[in-house]
Amino acid sequence: MQMKFMVKKACCSGGRAGALELGNCPKPIETPALLLSTRKGLPHFIAPDLLPSLPFPDSHLLQISPLHFLEGLASTTISKIGGLHQMLSLHQYGIAAVARDSIQCLPESKGATKLGPSFETPCGRLSVKPKDYVEMISCMRPNIWATLADEVPAWVSEKRNKTSVDRTVRWLDDCLALNPAAGSVFGAIVGGPNLDERKRCAVEVAKRNVSGYWIGGFGLGERIEERPALLSAIIDVLPDEKPRMISGLGLPEEILEGIDAGIDLFDSTYIYSLTLGGFALTFSLDKGGNQYDFQRCQVERDLTKINLRAKVYRKDMSPILGNCTCYTCQNHTKAYINHLFNVHEMLAQTLLEMEAIKDGRFKKFRMTFIESRRVHQETEAVCV
Amino acid sequence: MLPPLHSGTRSRQVGKERANALWNRNIVGQSGVVRMFRGTSLQAPITWCLCFKPKPKPKTNTTNMLPPLHSGTRSRQGYSTTVTNAMALVFEVLGRFNRARAARLTLPHHVCQTPLFMPVGTQGTIKGLTNSQLEDIGCQIILGNTYHLALRPTSELLDEVGGLHNFMNWQRGLLTDSGGFQMVSLLHLADITEKGVTFQSPVDGKPMLLTPEESIQIQNRIGADIIMALDDVVKTTITGPRVEEAMYRTLRWIDRCIAAHKRPHDQNLFGIVQGGLDPILRDICAKGLVDRNLPGYAIGGLSGGEDKNSFWRVVAQCTAALPEDKPRYVMGVGYPLDIVVCSALGADMYDCVYPTRTARFGTALIPEGVLKLKHKAMAEDTRPIDPTCPCMVCKNYTRAYIHCLVTKDAMGSQLLSYHNLYYMLQLSRNLHSSIVEGRFPEFVCDFLHKMVCSRKSPGP
Ligand SMILES: [Zn+2]
């Protein structure tokens, strides 16, 4: 189950397209890619037999929080079953384990000690030591796992932020020293909104023997304008040949920014929160990056999403997106999903999540990105 | 035999309700019903169901006494020259064992195999499962609740978008109930009068009235393959004159339902046999409905807390009184054991929220009975829910994993609902094929053996 990563195309800004090969995935996963966020290993509302109806290979990467399983399932039992892939029956999927999940398992900086980070979860506050974490990982056997990070919000003191970098690097060493046999290690990088600390952390982590990098500490109160500089400070010191994953960027435009900076893997909590709120993503880009004009109706929608709870969709017998090939758009109308939301039926979320994840959207995002980059480069070449 | 009642006779009938009851009790009771009823071993239908020793004399008695009405004159489509009721179904019995039968039921939207179980999709969906999942597990008919659908998204909207089939994009069979039962059971202030069911609107609190005509009109708009007549339901635990009143009112309302039914060529109106636990009332009701020559019949008012023996006795009596060539639907019945026994007694269709409701509480249906996945012992159990079950959930997941999901995560009840519905639908399929292949007794013995044996030992 050795991971292989290859950068296929890079451009001046730092953005790049690559391929991630995982032993159990039948095809390489093209990056930049989105990881499906999960709850206890399964996408929030999509039953596993529906997963194959999502396009391959975009949705073959799952992000899992090992801490979810502390609620009622011993690591030894997971090990006895044969690890996460076996237990979830997702044999051909790539699984990336990250302790935090941006939804229900949030880093709680106040509870962190030098021994390990602390998380706010549905079953209370959990403190996790590197030793326990590595033990969990060894039992669960994910393809990729990020080491523990002391993530702090942007408003903490310089001193606390510095401590977080020290701890994160020490925990990385602790994890590596325990030498777990399972999966590829992604070293955690933090440093809050401080450029120097970000750089210091990245430099230290880059010295270690890791297979890739996990960038944490974003989406915790930093200003959007600060981000590009922070991201490039980190990316500049990281070797090109290893994959970079990030948590905490949500909005499509934030992800685009991340792609620009050279991030390869993203979490997808935005889809989850959209789905819960009853929104469906409707933006779809043609190859030139132009947005199709799907709907005349401007009520309750901006250009990229619509709210299916809105009354105007009560009788709307058209699909969410006319040319979309996902299960939901092929089978159901806006009126039906509107009804399901009105009667609080879970199926509504299921259908919407499938719609959102069917990342024709995300893929087009990427394609458009790559093509516009290429056009950009060509223009530059001509100018030179 | 009573002549078919016409709408003109209705008003007269209302006034003579009590007299009619007396007349029926004396005449019908003495000559036919009671004798027939004694013949079919009413004490313990379960016993003879278990033994599978058909009692030849009473059996021939019942079939001889109550031949299928009009069967000689009716064509395959269910039309006859003498009875004008149109039908939108074909019911062909493919195999029998004693009273049990396996049939092909052709509805406007789907060709079904009976015995069949109908999952309940109250709001036009079944708890978190998609249509393709329902098709995968072999769901043939979904039951929609008229009361809920009429509130949201409203029957007018459904009509406008081409019916519930179109709205939820479900290509197979649909059945809607009359809405009456839901009102009586969900709304405290519901009251039944001769006009219909009066209730307080859950929207604005104003008094509203659901008449038989209105129920049918709403169901015509929803457009299900099978629609149910509005009946007057009383709990089986209630006794006395109220039961009799409800039965006669159900009979009077069926004529109003038939008269109001605007789409008899694409929707099948089923009448509902009422009469509580009183065999005489049940028989009067069954006869009255059979005279109306409906496309199918339901046995209503059961599974409301009566004891098993009374329940099976009523089912046995009603199935014997209903025509051989029409589907028989036992309403609200859904425990696996009940379905097996009722099928042995000649019933064909069932519906129940039990499999999905029990899934929400973390309980799985298995051949040995039930498996409580919330139980601590499940946390380390690496076996599937039911090692003999070929469903997606059992093929892929362990009890330990489901235990970790159950009741806390939506996915837990979704996976359990999936397995439980699969179990019920598989049970229906097994009933069908065992009857067709002539091994029904073996199947039932095997089924009961597993359930009974596991009760002696403390769980799987
Ligand atoms: Zn199963």
Side-chain angles (χ1 to χ4, degrees), chain A residues 90-128:
Chain A
L90 296 171
H91 307 279
Q92 305 201 325
Y93 286 74
I95 294 179
V98 180
R100 68 169 270 187
D101 72 354
S102 307
I103 298 166
Q104 283 178 308
C105 200
L106 302 166
E108 176 48 61
S109 64
K110 281 183 198 142
T113 66
K114 60 180 180 184
L115 297 175
S118 171
F119 299 89
E120 210 60 68
T121 74
C123 45
R125 189 177 283 190
L126 288 174
S127 292
V128 189

Side-chain angles (χ1 to χ4, degrees), chain B residues 17-281:
Chain B
E17 183 187 326
R18 305 295 308 173
N20 268 346
L22 258 170
W23 181 85
N24 280 324
R25 221 180 260 280
N26 293 336
I27 309 301
V28 184
Q30 275 167 16
S31 64
V33 184
V34 174
R35 192 160 50 107
M36 178 278 293
F37 202 68
R38 283 196 189 118
T40 42
S41 171
L42 63 104
Q43 289 90 356
I46 182 62
T47 320
W48 65 252
C49 169
L50 278 168
C51 300
F52 282 93
K53 280 178 194 146
K55 296 182 177 172
K57 221 171 74 187
K59 197 177 164 286
T60 46
N61 252 352
T62 47
T63 38
N64 287 348
M65 256 174 35
L66 289 172
L69 295 168
H70 319 294
S71 60
T73 51
R74 202 175 304 115
S75 73
R76 251 176 75 93
Q77 279 75 33
Y79 287 98
S80 82
T81 43
T82 50
V83 179
T84 49
N85 289 347
M87 293 192 195
L89 64 79
V90 181
F91 185 75
E92 299 154 283
V93 176
L94 306 176
R96 289 176 197 278
F97 187 88
N98 286 351
R99 294 171 65 175
R101 68 251 193 99
R104 182 190 298 128
L105 171 63
T106 308
L107 296 174
H109 287 87
H110 194 62
V111 181
C112 314
Q113 313 255 291
T114 70
L116 68 80
F117 175 79
M118 301 180 284
V120 181
T122 302
Q123 317 265 23
T125 154
I126 294 170
K127 301 297 164 197
L129 301 184
T130 64
N131 290 347
S132 63
Q133 284 180 315
L134 289 168
E135 281 177 20
D136 285 348
I137 62 176
C139 173
Q140 310 186 76
I141 302 177
I142 295 176
L143 188 149
N145 290 124
T146 293
Y147 169 73
H148 290 102
L149 291 168
L151 280 179
R152 285 179 308 198
T154 73
S155 63
E156 288 80 7
L157 184 139
L158 288 174
D159 191 27
E160 221 174 293
V161 301
L164 183 57
H165 277 100
N166 250 346
F167 185 65
M168 62 184 286
N169 192 30
W170 174 249
Q171 314 296 339
R172 297 188 179 179
L174 282 173
L175 179 149
T176 45
D177 61 7
S178 66
F181 179 71
Q182 297 275 324
M183 279 180 194
V184 175
S185 58
L186 293 180
L187 303 171
H188 301 296
L189 295 161
D191 185 34
I192 300 175
T193 64
E194 193 56 33
K195 276 191 201 159
V197 184
T198 17
F199 63 101
Q200 217 177 8
S201 159
V203 182
D204 53 15
K206 282 184 192 147
M208 311 254 295
L209 176 70
L210 180 77
T211 61
E213 291 79 9
E214 216 165 7
S215 168
I216 298 300
Q217 195 188 8
I218 295 170
Q219 294 187 74
N220 278 162
R221 289 196 209 110
I222 296 172
D225 299 80
I226 298 172
I227 62 177
M228 301 303 297
L230 186 68
D231 57 346
D232 184 356
V233 197
V234 286
K235 284 193 182 128
T236 44
T237 43
I238 289 175
T239 50
R242 175 71 185 97
V243 182
E244 190 171 317
E245 181 197 41
M247 187 279 287
Y248 280 110
R249 182 168 287 147
T250 299
L251 272 185
R252 289 191 297 275
W253 281 0
I254 189 67
D255 292 317
R256 291 168 59 185
C257 290
I258 294 169
H261 186 18
K262 294 282 183 296
R263 302 176 61 189
H265 291 281
D266 31 50
Q267 289 187 290
N268 298 286
L269 173 64
F270 278 31
I272 304 170
V273 182
Q274 291 292 353
L277 299 178
D278 185 336
I280 296 166
L281 296 182

